[in-house]
Amino acid sequence: DTDSLEQYTGTYKLPMTPLQMRVYAEKGNLMAQMTGQPPFCLVAFNRNIFIYSPSGVNMEFKTTERQLVLKQRGQTLLFMKE
C-alpha cells in the first residue's frame, strides 16, 4: 500500500556526480525517475528490493542507512538519500 511505500520515497544522489533519482509513490505504485529520464514503475521483488525488468534494474533500499543500491548490467551504484 501507499503508506508502506513512503519509507522509500525521496531524492537519492550519487555522490561525486550530478546524478540523482527521485523515488515517489503514485496510485499505489513505487515510481523512480533519474535525472533527465522518464519515470518508470518499480515492481516489488522482495522486502526492500524492487525491479524494473525492461532495463534489468534491481534496486535495494537500505532504509536505516538511507541508501539505495542500484544494480544494472553488472554495475552497482550506491545512492545516498538527501
Side-chain angles (χ1 to χ4, degrees):
D1 64 25
T2 304
D3 286 342
S4 63
L5 296 178
E6 288 300 320
Q7 65 181 318
Y8 307 118
T9 63
T11 300
Y12 295 83
K13 294 189 91 168
L14 187 61
M16 311 292 281
T17 76
L19 273 184
Q20 61 181 7
M21 183 180 319
R22 183 171 81 98
V23 177
Y24 59 98
E26 182 178 273
K27 298 178 185 165
N29 294 309
L30 192 63
M31 304 293 292
Q33 184 172 17
M34 291 282 287
T35 305
Q37 300 292 318
F40 55 94
C41 183
L42 296 166
V43 176
F45 178 74
N46 207 327
R47 180 168 158 67
N48 297 333
I49 298 176
F50 291 80
I51 58 173
Y52 179 64
S53 295
S55 295
V57 170
N58 175 311
M59 294 171 59
E60 179 180 0
F61 291 87
K62 297 185 176 189
T63 53
T64 53
E65 295 96 339
R66 299 178 58 81
Q67 297 175 342
L68 165 60
V69 180
L70 185 147
K71 295 180 182 176
Q72 183 180 25
R73 297 185 193 107
Q75 190 175 31
T76 300
L77 302 174
L78 178 63
F79 288 79
M80 304 299 293
K81 189 172 187 177
E82 287 192 314

